[in-house]
């Protein structure tokens, strides 16, 4: 059983569409991070959210941390082919501050 | 500033052999963590080293071990390789900032194939 459940697992959309990826858990996390990974490379950190209810924007990407610090979402506006990749949420569960737990990932494909 | 480097990038071994993977962290980073990534299980934490000491360990068998040197470089070793050990092995380094918000920087990984 994954501590962090991501949905959807796969997403294929047309350029210009909007999308949302969800990351849910029954556990409380002291922080949640979102990464993007491209083939043959390691994950690259996009953002870290720390405070419950926090919203962070990175150009066309909007990240939200749930009030109870158990869930997070990533929203992409007007997706572009360059957004294609594996999106991973990860967090430090309360009591496991040194062990980063990853979600199962969302493979996003943006078609031109 | 150079990123995290891992060597080798690709490795092919046969069952029963052992393998050693190397990771050089970002200069100044003292923590090195190792992860295994497979299509079925995703990214799973193996262990973390800080100042040459293993500080945290994931749920992997004893065939998986590691160490860290005084210059923070780290190696992981897998003995008696099994087919299921085929995976991308990722190393990540961090400064060790505030607990629970440490930013980890990943290397490109070593792709291990066990035949």
């Amino acid at each position: 059983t994954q501590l962090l459940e991501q949905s959807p697992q796969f997403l294929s959309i047309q350029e210009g569409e909007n999308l949302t990826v969800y990351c849910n858990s029954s556990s409380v996390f002291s922080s949640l991070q979102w990464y993007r990974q491209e083939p043959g490379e390691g994950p690259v950190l996009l953002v870290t959210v720390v405070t419950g209810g926090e919203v962070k924007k990175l150009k066309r990407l909007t990240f939200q941390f749930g009030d109870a610090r158990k869930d997070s979402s990533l929203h992409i506006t007007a997706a572009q082919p360059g957004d294609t990749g594996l999106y991973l949420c990860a967090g430090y569960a309360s009591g496991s501050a040194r062990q980063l737990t990853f979600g199962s990932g969302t493979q996003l494909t943006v078609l031109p | 500033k150079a990123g995290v480097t891992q060597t080798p990038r690709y490795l092919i071994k046969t069952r029963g052999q052992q393998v050693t993977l190397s990771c050089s962290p970002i200069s100044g980073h003292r923590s090195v963590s190792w992860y295994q990534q497979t299509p079925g299980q995703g990214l799973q934490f193996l262990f973390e080293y800080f100042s040459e000491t293993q500080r945290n360990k994931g749920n992997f068998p004893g065939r998986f071990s590691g160490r860290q040197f005084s210059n923070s470089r780290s190696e992981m070793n897998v003995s008696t390789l099994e087919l299921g050990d085929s995976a991308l092995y990722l190393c990540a380094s961090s400064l060790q900032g505030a607990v629970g918000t440490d930013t980890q920087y990943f290397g490109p990984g070593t792709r291990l194939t066990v035949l």
Side-chain angles (χ1 to χ4, degrees):
Chain A
T1 303
Q2 289 274 5
L3 193 59
L4 280 169
E5 298 286 344
Q6 268 186 256
S7 61
Q9 190 177 356
F10 298 95
L11 194 52
S12 182
I13 60 172
Q14 293 294 135
E15 182 176 1
E17 292 184 357
N18 301 332
L19 66 112
T20 302
V21 177
Y22 299 93
C23 178
N24 296 295
S25 177
S26 57
S27 300
V28 174
F29 283 81
S30 56
S31 67
L32 267 178
Q33 303 176 351
W34 285 92
Y35 291 81
R36 186 172 80 193
Q37 185 178 19
E38 300 190 25
E41 299 296 330
V44 174
L45 180 68
L46 296 173
V47 77
T48 299
V49 284
V50 179
T51 307
E54 182 176 3
V55 177
K56 279 192 175 179
K57 291 192 175 185
L58 187 67
K59 294 184 181 178
R60 294 176 295 100
L61 279 60
T62 302
F63 305 86
Q64 188 162 4
F65 199 12
D67 290 339
R69 305 207 321 270
K70 293 183 178 181
D71 57 88
S72 180
S73 64
L74 157 62
H75 182 80
I76 301 179
T77 303
Q80 299 176 0
D83 295 328
T84 293
L86 179 67
Y87 288 81
L88 296 155
C89 67
Y92 292 100
S94 298
S96 301
R98 295 294 180 203
Q99 183 168 330
L100 194 59
T101 299
F102 279 84
S104 51
T106 296
Q107 180 62 53
L108 171 65
T109 303
V110 182
L111 304 169
Chain B
K1 186 185 262 191
V4 177
T5 58
Q6 292 186 244
T7 56
R9 291 293 309 274
Y10 302 92
L11 207 46
I12 299 175
K13 293 285 187 179
T14 56
R15 278 183 300 174
Q17 287 187 309
Q18 74 166 23
V19 67
T20 299
L21 312 181
S22 181
C23 172
S24 292
I26 292 172
S27 177
H29 286 192
R30 296 170 66 190
S31 170
V32 173
S33 297
W34 288 89
Y35 297 83
Q36 181 195 65
Q37 186 175 29
T38 59
Q41 298 297 319
L43 259 155
Q44 293 186 292
F45 173 78
L46 279 157
F47 29 66
E48 183 226 359
Y49 286 86
F50 181 81
S51 292
E52 302 178 63
T53 301
Q54 187 183 89
R55 193 161 60 173
N56 210 348
K57 190 177 191 302
N59 190 25
F60 277 81
R63 298 186 298 107
F64 292 81
S65 63
R67 59 178 175 168
Q68 187 180 33
F69 302 95
S70 58
N71 62 358
S72 294
R73 190 177 69 86
S74 177
E75 290 181 347
M76 69 162 281
N77 184 277
V78 188
S79 62
T80 320
L81 283 166
E82 300 177 0
L83 295 178
D85 296 334
S86 294
L88 180 67
Y89 289 89
L90 292 160
C91 162
S93 76
S94 66
L95 265 173
Q96 282 300 281
V99 168
T101 61
D102 211 16
T103 297
Q104 297 200 8
Y105 297 87
F106 284 82
T110 294
R111 171 73 63 187
L112 172 65
T113 302
V114 182
L115 302 175

